[in-house]
Amino acid sequence: MKENLIKVGPMRVLVTGGSGLVGKAIEHVVQQEGGKLEGEEWIFLSSKDADLVDVGQTRAVFEKYRPTHVIHLAAKVGGLYLHMRDNLHFLRDNLKINDNVLQTAHEMGVTRVVSCLSSCIFPDKTTYPIDETMIHNGSPHSSNFGYSHAKRMIDVQNRAYFQQYGHHYTAVIPTNVFGPYDNFNIENGHVLSALMNKTYKAKKEGTAVNVCGSGAPRRQFIYSLDLGRLIIWALREYEEIDPIIFSVGEEDEISIKEAMDLITKALDFKGKIHYDTTLSDGQMKKTASNAKLRRYLPDFPFTPLKEAIQMTCDWFVANYDIART
């Protein structure tokens, strides 16, 4: 039976992974854009507050803050090449984190949980565009199968908590996220952020930029602040258990090479770019449909990619000493 979702009193929202890319974006929307309603309390956890791989620490932090709602962003994550080397580690740690958060939320009577999945959970061999009904239709890409399967299991658990207890736990699936507070590490950062760091470093040193792979893979990029706004909408308004894809439209998918052109313009880089085709490209594309999102929010204004890349580059340069590590 579906539980009663009448809200009693203001929400107390616990955000796991609150110091990361998406957590910082949600914090910005809550504090700077009126995302927080009167009487609400928002708590942003970082790994310093609790190691969510440990069930005791997870329980203790829930006991401390007694949330009514949870946004679950925390994950063990890395770039493509780190995932390829360490699939077992990513599988085990993420399974533990997700089970600890969801089961503790259940035990402590949390009304609603919105978990953040990833577009890497999509099947490797599939038809495009991918939509929410196709998540489990085949294996994810072999490069990061450990992390991907752990993330898929959140959707399975959400359905099971609803079936058994009527709990309203759901998940959102963003495509490639970038923005301020991203992991800009050249070795294991996300693609756009690592390229921003590489390009800025090359500009300072007067060297060429070496890009891993051919530049041909295509991606849909979503600016972190747009994602923050959408996750807060989902927490308040989205009542399905089935997940929802948060993405720009299929027509806004661009190649890594095209994204690199926007980065070089944003950073005013005039040097050479070398595409190292001896290195893996990963998935060539994973085009997602945002038709479901558009049914709910037909007029949601995504930040234009050029503008979002410029703002992220500006933030990176201004915060270079802390951001580049």
Side-chain angles (χ1 to χ4, degrees):
M1 197 176 92
K2 188 174 176 182
E3 66 183 10
N4 193 333
L5 287 173
I6 294 169
K7 297 178 179 67
V8 181
M11 298 195 301
R12 196 158 54 255
V13 186
L14 186 70
V15 182
T16 73
S19 62
L21 166 68
V22 183
K24 284 290 188 185
I26 292 171
E27 187 174 26
H28 178 90
V29 175
V30 164
Q31 294 179 354
Q32 310 294 327
E33 297 184 7
K36 175 182 174 181
L37 302 185
E38 192 178 345
E40 288 180 353
E41 193 180 345
W42 287 72
I43 302 109
F44 292 86
L45 291 185
S46 79
S47 53
K48 294 188 186 80
D49 297 298
D51 177 4
L52 299 177
V53 174
D54 181 286
V55 69
Q57 291 188 43
T58 307
R59 178 87 195 185
V61 84
F62 271 71
E63 295 267 10
K64 180 178 179 181
Y65 293 111
R66 296 269 164 185
T68 61
H69 294 64
V70 171
I71 295 174
H72 175 38
L73 310 173
K76 288 287 168 77
V77 66
L80 171 65
Y81 299 101
L82 191 61
H83 278 283
M84 286 170 77
R85 286 197 303 269
D86 218 355
N87 268 295
L88 179 62
H89 168 74
F90 284 108
L91 174 71
R92 296 188 70 230
D93 276 1
N94 283 295
L95 285 172
K96 288 174 190 171
I97 290 168
N98 299 334
D99 186 59
N100 288 344
V101 168
L102 292 174
Q103 181 62 16
T104 305
H106 157 65
E107 289 169 1
M108 299 197 61
V110 170
T111 302
R112 190 180 288 224
V113 180
V114 176
S115 296
C116 193
L117 308 186
S118 162
S119 59
C120 70
I121 69 174
F122 296 148
D124 181 30
K125 294 179 173 55
T126 187
T127 54
Y128 296 100
I130 299 166
D131 66 32
E132 293 83 355
T133 67
M134 298 160 68
I135 293 165
H136 302 283
N137 295 355
S139 298
H141 192 266
S142 59
S143 61
N144 55 2
F145 72 89
Y147 177 79
S148 302
H149 278 296
K151 282 290 191 185
R152 280 187 184 187
M153 287 307 296
I154 292 178
D155 177 50
V156 176
Q157 274 187 272
N158 286 343
R159 294 168 195 276
Y161 279 114
F162 181 71
Q163 185 193 62
Q164 199 151 334
Y165 299 108
H167 286 343
H168 211 277
Y169 301 169
T170 190
V172 303
I173 311 167
T175 47
N176 292 62
V177 193
F178 73 98
Y181 300 96
D182 202 352
N183 175 5
F184 289 85
N185 186 287
I186 286 172
E187 295 305 316
N188 60 23
H190 291 128
V191 59
L192 281 196
S193 305
L195 289 174
M196 288 173 191
N197 192 350
K198 274 186 180 180
T199 305
Y200 186 61
K201 188 166 179 278
K203 182 185 175 183
K204 283 175 53 148
E205 295 172 358
T207 56
V209 178
N210 193 48
V211 180
C212 300
S214 67
R218 302 184 69 78
R219 295 290 182 265
Q220 288 154 297
F221 291 103
I222 180 170
Y223 186 47
S224 58
L225 288 172
D226 291 340
L227 179 57
R229 295 167 191 129
L230 287 168
I231 289 174
I232 293 170
W233 167 80
L235 188 72
R236 298 189 189 285
E237 307 290 340
Y238 182 67
E239 299 215 339
E240 294 184 42
I241 306 304
D242 290 347
I244 183 168
I245 291 168
F246 285 164
S247 174
V248 297
E250 298 158 50
E251 68 282 2
D252 294 315
E253 185 176 57
I254 66 164
S255 71
I256 302 302
K257 190 172 186 307
E258 289 168 309
M260 189 64 194
D261 290 343
L262 292 174
I263 291 168
T264 56
K265 287 189 180 76
L267 290 169
D268 194 29
F269 176 76
K270 303 280 202 292
K272 287 201 167 77
I273 301 166
H274 171 65
Y275 290 90
D276 187 348
T277 53
T278 65
L279 292 170
S280 169
D281 273 325
Q283 275 177 286
M284 291 310 291
K285 69 174 194 170
K286 38 187 180 177
T287 317
S289 166
N290 72 351
K292 185 176 186 178
L293 170 63
R294 285 306 189 196
R295 283 200 298 278
Y296 279 100
L297 296 173
D299 301 318
F300 181 82
F302 284 101
T303 306
L305 185 61
K306 183 180 176 184
E307 190 183 315
I309 284 177
Q310 184 69 61
M311 289 190 290
T312 306
C313 285
D314 291 348
W315 183 91
F316 174 72
V317 171
N319 296 276
Y320 181 66
D321 289 334
I322 57 161
R324 66 188 164 137
T325 51

